[in-house]
Amino acid sequence: MTGAFAARHIGTDASAQRVMLDALGYDTVDSLVRRAVPASIQAPARETSDIPIAATEAEALAELRVLASQNRAARPMIGLGYYDTFTPSVIARNVLENPSWYTAYTPYQPEISQGRLEALINFQTMVTDLTGLATSGASMLDESTAVVEGMLVARRASKSASNVFLVDADALPQTKALLAHRAAAVGIELHHTSFGRSGPEAEPDAFGAFVQYPGATGRVWDPTEVVDALHAQGGLVVVAADLLALTLLRSPGSFGADIAVGTTQRFGVPLGFGGPHAGYLAVRAGLERQLPGRVVGVSQDAASRPAYRLALQTREQHIRREKATSNICTSQVLLAVMASMYAVYHGADGLRAIATEVAKKAEALATVLRGYGLTLSSDSFFDTLRVHVPGYARRVIERARERGFQLFWADEASIGVSVDETTTADDLAAVAWAFGLPEGEFLGAGEQGERTLPFADAEPLAGVPSSLVRADEYLTHPVFSAHRSETAMMRYLKQLSDRDYALDRGMIPLGSCTMKLNAATEMAAVSWPEFSRVHPFAPVSDVRGYLALIEQLEVWLAEVTGYDAVSLQPNAGSQGELAGLMAIRGYHRANGDADRTVCLIPSSAHGTNAASAVLAGMRVVVVACDDQGNVDLDDLRAKVAAHADELAALMITYPSTHGVYEHDVLEITQAVHDAGGQVYVDGANLNALLGYARFGDLGGDVSHLNLHKTFAIPHGGGGPGVGPVAAKAHLAPYLPSHPLSQRKDHPGGVFDGGPISAAPHGSAGILPISWAYVRMMGTEGLRDATAAAVLAANYIAFRLRDHYPVLYTGDGDLVAHECILDLRPLREATGVTVDDVAKRLIDYGFHAPTMSFPVAGTLMVEPTESEDLGEIERFIEAMIAIKAEADAVAAGEWPADDNPLVHAPHTAESVVAGEWKHPYSRETAVYPVPTLVRTKYWPPVRRIDQAYGDRNLVCACPPIEAFA
Ligand SMILES: *Cc1c(COP(=O)(O)O)cnc(C)c1O
């Protein structure tokens, strides 16, 4: 029996399912799925389960409240790239908690994504202005992985033949660990250097250097000499810079840095125990082609009006595979939107005021500490002090904790303290007390007689060389001054989200993306301060609630996948892939099999697979697929035989990216194991299997899952995500570890593989979503969801197959959770393309299905379990009507170059402005079915020119006049 929540989550009720089953000729949903999933892989019913009976929404919230109460609400002053911040309420309510923003998909269909594309171009402008560099991407996964990406950009672009990369000894500890792990896999040698301490030390043959600015100890120094030395030898310099500090300090671009990276967390994005936050990466002119991830640019639409779209997208990893610049797919759009809106709301003067106050607080604290006889490792700082406390660091940490503050224990003789915009005068006094300062003597009295440490008169940046103080302007574009009242901000956010199509408008049937419901109850805890204001390096006793939640989720995920150990650290599917492949690499090396570096990948695989394999130091060998979209067994055996001694792994997606349950999967995994290879099962399509089969039982050794697909985390318009990696016991020792993890005794065994994300638990702040999903669905609800998803996909395939051929089917002529519609015959017969159909769907009020992946000229439709029959029928009717329109073109009723398909989508302006000269009516253009009259979604722009050269794209806010 399906629980109360599951009945809300699953869109089709029993009567709707009856209609669909009758059409397909099955008695029950279960019998349909059991026919589709090969019997050889179906999991036997389990007698016991660690997943409790489904909770109601109220019960789940109550349990989350208990978990929340087990986190101690302390005030984090640990710093190291993470700071408490005030999320402006207008942004919290209208972005973070607004489904118009958080349920959108990645803006691959630009006509229905203009709102978030504008927010992202604001983000890029904010980053390029503050860093002083030419071009920024639209977000990275976090600061430390952005440093790795920066290192890889430097290696590609450097003229030096060296494989040495210099690393600032004053870099964040998590970044150093991540660099070490990732550099080893791709043959880069790291040299740690105390930059700026003893003159330039650039080694003669490094291809690049990494500088932390300000340093982890808070030190602000001038990297110009390092930059010049590197440039003299053909190397590039990557600078990780704090954006708030850059409102007062010279920009990396001004001292010649080639690449700037960092996090935008402290721009109003909650700590969330480590994430999600948007990282950034910006480059100087000449390096824009090397940018990893996505970039937004200004193109034009069919009416020659400016319109935003993703730039460089044809060169993204989906297409370039092993030649991609990066494996990043899902990034951090929602958080980038939040950070950019923080800058829009505060403007340049507001940000400068916040930073100035932060600098004053740090200076005020430094002054009293020095007055008390303590010394700092550097007197040139912005917000962070490294204080010498020979032999009594523990004592200071404990005293601070007594008052509710978390400081950073650097070693027995030094403590780090970071202030932020939330720090008060009272906080500073409490911290000073923790360092042993006597009450009264150093600390002034507040109005009510409380101890405070006033900072209004402190001199900001008192110890920073004047040459490092920023003189140039930033955020001068009008967008950063136009929305400064709350009314204006609220309306700007509404205006932008109204331009976009998200799940709050209708179905987003994107194959391979699983755009299911993100329930409000699942989202609730994300905003609770006990989860949102937690520092990733907080002591274990302050985060017991989080650790309990994480452990439960790991146990549940292990059970449903058939694996022994799970790490939630990867913060996207791509990072889960990398973590899994790194585990395979670690395993082979530990067995003395360092030569096993070949990774077999079927031609149909998701582009991230090949890109991740390269980053794990593997060589990609492509395995052919047969005309049914299955792995070609003969080719697989041939490739296994040819590479037997060097075979590291096979990466296989199950069910395949073709949306079918491959029959021979057990033979495939066996063949790889027989040759000594490991099997990586890409688990992004778990929504087709959950409750029916388990990757571990298919012969998988390791998999990643996408919690932002199968486990209800919203896509956020292109991130955040969580890509847990799950493995059999023999690989567990090589799963992600973290130098600052709170968990020394991991329940899944000791993970020792090196970090894959900046934070020990990745994007922990959104894990309550997936926890609540599993908790409220229970085992049966999860299985029922799978069944409903498979039923919906098969129903659509069945209803549309007379109009569009269904490219691949498996047993029983059935598909899995998605189906590929072949539009190539339509194109041959009528000239109508996949693009035309996708854009015409906008006129009908739909987001297009996945276009031309994995097969060019096709649409891949995945309705998920959350759509009800009414919405599914509406989609089917739209697709049938569009087919009829295409037939009318073929029949010569409409010319091939003037019909509602080639001109789609139609804006309101396009049907009212000027004389109507088309052979179809205005009604046909915008109201092709009558129900649209009252429910119409109006795209703000016409079809956007994808051919308009990337070289002409402007990747920062265009002048306002451009839109006049
Ligand atoms: C979505 C997807 C990925 C990548 O996941 P991200 O979170 O976007 O990095 C990998 N493989 C498959 C099959 C996918 O569908």
Side-chain angles (χ1 to χ4, degrees):
M1 197 199 72
T2 291
F5 172 75
R8 302 269 186 209
H9 173 84
I10 298 172
T12 46
D13 61 12
S15 64
Q17 294 190 349
R18 189 68 262 146
V19 171
M20 298 159 85
L21 288 166
D22 286 346
L24 291 163
Y26 284 85
D27 278 345
T28 62
V29 198
D30 193 57
S31 61
L32 172 105
V33 183
R34 297 214 178 271
R35 180 77 185 92
V37 179
S40 57
I41 67 159
Q42 288 182 22
R46 298 177 64 79
E47 281 169 16
T48 59
S49 171
D50 285 312
I51 299 176
I53 301 288
T56 64
E57 295 181 54
E59 288 163 355
L61 285 172
E63 288 181 27
L64 281 164
R65 286 274 176 214
V66 172
L67 288 168
S69 72
Q70 292 163 6
N71 291 334
R72 180 163 171 263
R75 307 259 300 146
M77 299 180 77
I78 296 169
L80 300 181
Y82 300 94
Y83 305 88
D84 204 359
T85 175
F86 291 127
T87 308
S89 296
V90 63
I91 295 174
R93 178 162 294 253
N94 295 290
V95 179
L96 180 62
E97 297 171 357
N98 181 346
S100 298
W101 288 99
Y102 68 70
T103 69
Y105 184 67
T106 305
Y108 288 130
Q109 296 285 331
E111 294 84 359
I112 56 177
S113 314
Q114 291 294 299
R116 57 192 185 278
L117 285 166
E118 177 161 325
L120 290 174
I121 216 159
N122 292 347
F123 176 88
Q124 293 175 184
T125 305
M126 168 186 95
V127 171
T128 51
D129 273 19
L130 289 172
T131 58
L133 288 167
T135 310
S136 164
S139 78
M140 303 295 287
L141 290 164
D142 58 37
E143 173 165 325
S144 299
T145 55
V147 174
V148 173
E149 299 282 355
M151 169 177 77
L152 298 173
V153 171
R155 183 162 72 165
R156 282 195 298 275
S158 168
K159 293 187 186 70
S160 160
S162 162
N163 71 335
V164 173
F165 188 66
L166 307 179
V167 178
D168 191 344
D170 198 11
L172 301 177
Q174 68 271 26
T175 299
K176 286 187 195 168
L178 214 96
L179 276 169
H181 188 44
R182 298 281 305 272
V186 292
I188 292 175
E189 204 181 304
L190 301 180
H191 284 199
H192 291 269
T193 317
S194 296
F195 288 133
R197 298 271 189 214
S198 49
E201 292 176 56
E203 323 221 342
D205 58 348
F207 71 82
F210 166 58
V211 169
Q212 187 90 40
Y213 177 78
T217 58
R219 178 179 67 125
V220 175
W221 59 289
D222 188 349
T224 308
E225 283 184 10
V226 175
V227 172
D228 292 346
L230 258 290
H231 284 176
Q233 65 194 40
L236 280 76
V237 176
V238 184
V239 174
D242 178 310
L243 287 189
L244 191 64
L246 291 186
T247 64
L248 302 180
L249 298 178
R250 265 185 71 182
S251 69
S254 76
F255 52 73
D258 303 280
I259 300 158
V261 297
T263 173
T264 60
Q265 180 268 317
R266 72 190 309 180
F267 278 25
V269 182
L271 286 163
F273 198 29
H277 313 132
Y280 75 82
L281 191 151
V283 295
R284 64 161 161 77
L287 292 176
E288 43 286 277
R289 310 253 126 198
Q290 303 290 340
L291 269 174
R294 308 187 187 113
V295 191
V296 179
V298 186
S299 179
Q300 57 183 27
D301 75 356
S304 305
R305 296 281 167 94
Y308 307 109
R309 70 163 167 86
L310 291 178
L312 310 173
Q313 62 189 32
T314 51
R315 282 177 296 282
E316 270 203 301
Q317 38 78 24
H318 284 261
I319 313 289
R320 304 216 358 167
R321 310 179 79 86
E322 66 269 23
K323 293 189 193 68
T325 50
S326 155
N327 68 334
I328 298 180
C329 179
T330 290
S331 57
Q332 302 279 21
V333 170
L334 187 72
L335 305 312
V337 171
M338 288 181 73
S340 76
M341 290 303 166
Y342 180 92
V344 167
Y345 196 45
H346 287 299
D349 54 334
L351 293 180
R352 199 179 290 116
I354 292 169
T356 303
E357 198 167 285
V358 164
K360 284 180 171 187
K361 293 175 207 173
E363 187 58 36
L365 181 62
T367 303
V368 296
L369 294 180
R370 282 187 296 234
Y372 183 56
L374 295 172
T375 56
L376 308 179
S377 73
S378 170
D379 288 318
S380 171
F381 53 80
F382 163 60
D383 66 352
T384 296
L385 314 178
R386 184 61 64 89
V387 189
H388 291 299
V389 283
Y392 60 99
R394 296 263 175 224
R395 183 78 195 105
V396 177
I397 295 280
E398 278 160 26
R399 279 166 66 94
R401 280 175 50 67
E402 268 176 49
R403 293 283 173 99
F405 293 88
Q406 296 159 345
L407 309 182
F408 174 57
W409 182 87
D411 53 53
E412 212 29 76
S414 45
I415 298 260
V417 190
S418 293
V419 303
D420 58 56
E421 64 169 321
T422 72
T423 310
T424 65
D426 290 356
D427 296 346
L428 295 176
V431 170
W433 175 85
F435 277 96
L437 271 75
E439 321 245 353
E441 192 177 334
F442 291 96
L443 310 175
E447 278 171 23
Q448 262 80 49
E450 74 277 25
R451 292 169 306 106
T452 67
L453 203 162
F455 51 82
D457 297 330
E459 191 194 338
L461 306 181
V464 172
S466 58
S467 62
L468 285 177
V469 175
R470 184 161 194 150
D472 56 335
E473 289 198 290
Y474 47 84
L475 306 187
T476 53
H477 189 275
V479 76
F480 297 103
S481 49
H483 312 287
R484 304 288 293 278
S485 76
E486 180 165 335
T487 301
M489 188 68 194
M490 171 180 73
R491 288 181 186 156
Y492 182 49
L493 290 170
K494 172 76 175 160
Q495 200 186 81
L496 293 186
S497 63
D498 271 354
R499 293 182 196 160
D500 287 12
Y501 186 103
L503 278 178
D504 61 341
R505 287 190 193 274
M507 165 151 83
I508 303 184
L510 282 165
S512 202
C513 302
T514 313
M515 299 295 290
K516 63 168 67 177
L517 170 74
N518 318 116
T521 292
E522 290 154 4
M523 296 296 292
V526 171
S527 303
W528 299 349
E530 299 92 331
F531 286 120
S532 68
R533 291 183 78 176
V534 179
H535 194 283
F537 310 143
V540 60
S541 53
D542 290 358
V543 295
R544 298 217 184 273
Y546 250 126
L547 295 180
L549 182 146
I550 287 168
E551 193 176 318
Q552 282 174 14
L553 190 53
E554 285 169 351
V555 167
W556 298 343
L557 294 178
E559 177 176 317
V560 298
T561 54
Y563 285 114
D564 302 309
V566 173
S567 166
L568 293 164
Q569 194 186 107
N571 50 14
S574 61
Q575 306 305 294
E577 291 174 14
L578 182 56
L581 292 169
M582 294 290 267
I584 290 174
R585 176 177 188 271
Y587 173 78
H588 284 315
R589 294 174 77 84
N591 291 342
D593 283 335
D595 294 340
R596 291 196 174 270
T597 56
V598 165
C599 187
L600 301 179
I601 300 183
S603 60
S604 63
H606 197 270
T608 49
N609 286 188
S612 297
V614 170
L615 292 174
M618 295 184 183
R619 194 150 57 83
V620 175
V621 173
V622 177
V623 179
C625 289
D626 65 19
D627 55 11
Q628 271 305 296
N630 292 329
V631 170
D632 181 331
L633 258 181
D634 291 336
D635 192 49
L636 177 88
R637 288 191 205 284
K639 298 271 160 69
V640 167
H643 300 284
D645 295 338
E646 29 172 28
L647 183 61
L650 164 77
M651 283 187 100
I652 182 173
T653 305
Y654 202 85
S656 74
T657 50
H658 291 150
V660 294
Y661 300 101
E662 215 144 333
H663 223 280
D664 301 325
V665 62
L666 295 175
E667 280 171 66
I668 292 170
T669 55
Q670 189 63 49
V672 173
H673 283 153
D674 287 347
Q678 294 282 295
V679 175
Y680 187 104
V681 183
D682 179 330
N685 288 347
L686 182 58
N687 217 44
L689 283 185
L690 196 52
Y692 282 93
R694 311 191 311 163
F695 298 136
D697 301 338
L698 305 185
D701 297 292
V702 55
S703 291
H704 80 274
L705 315 178
N706 277 12
L707 299 192
H708 47 300
K709 292 178 180 171
T710 316
F711 291 90
I713 289 177
H715 281 251
V722 177
V725 56
K728 292 272 177 67
H730 65 281
L731 292 180
Y734 312 100
L735 289 180
S737 61
H738 194 286
L740 297 161
S741 175
Q742 290 82 359
R743 295 165 89 192
K744 304 290 176 243
D745 46 349
H746 196 283
V750 183
F751 293 177
D752 208 10
I756 219 78
S757 298
H761 312 286
S763 291
I766 49 175
L767 293 177
I769 302 170
S770 295
W771 184 94
Y773 178 66
V774 177
R775 186 67 192 87
M776 297 190 296
M777 293 295 276
T779 310
E780 291 179 23
L782 293 173
R783 195 185 54 226
D784 290 347
T786 302
V790 172
L791 173 63
N794 276 288
Y795 183 68
I796 288 178
F798 172 80
R799 290 285 309 279
L800 288 180
R801 69 188 342 152
D802 292 340
H803 308 274
Y804 306 91
V806 173
L807 197 52
Y808 304 116
T809 54
D811 287 5
D813 214 11
L814 294 167
V815 298
H817 65 312
E818 59 195 8
C819 62
I820 298 182
L821 304 177
D822 193 353
L823 272 67
R824 290 169 298 188
L826 184 77
R827 179 172 194 168
E828 252 164 54
T830 68
V832 170
T833 66
V834 169
D835 253 59
D836 297 334
V837 173
K839 303 307 175 192
R840 185 62 174 151
L841 274 168
I842 299 172
D843 285 336
Y844 281 82
F846 279 102
H847 190 296
T850 299
M851 280 166 55
S852 293
F853 173 81
V855 182
T858 65
L859 287 177
M860 183 155 64
V861 183
E862 179 181 0
T864 83
E865 71 275 16
S866 296
E867 297 301 335
D868 62 30
L869 185 55
E871 185 71 354
I872 291 171
E873 294 290 3
R874 197 171 73 84
F875 176 74
I876 291 169
E877 279 158 21
M879 289 297 291
I880 292 174
I882 289 171
K883 175 64 173 23
E885 290 175 351
D887 288 341
V889 176
E893 279 172 47
W894 290 323
D897 60 352
D898 192 2
N899 60 64
L901 291 151
V902 293
H903 290 314
H906 295 83
T907 56
E909 189 197 19
S910 72
V911 288
V912 298
E915 201 188 328
W916 184 257
K917 293 188 197 129
H918 301 291
Y920 56 100
S921 72
R922 297 175 214 242
E923 287 73 18
T924 302
V926 296
Y927 295 135
V929 288
T931 46
L932 287 167
V933 173
R934 276 169 178 258
T935 57
K936 179 80 182 170
Y937 161 74
W938 291 98
V941 295
R942 305 208 57 189
R943 195 178 305 191
I944 295 175
D945 190 348
Q946 297 288 350
Y948 184 81
D950 274 350
R951 276 178 200 285
N952 300 325
L953 289 185
V954 179
C955 298
C957 294
I960 293 286
E961 307 83 75
F963 295 92

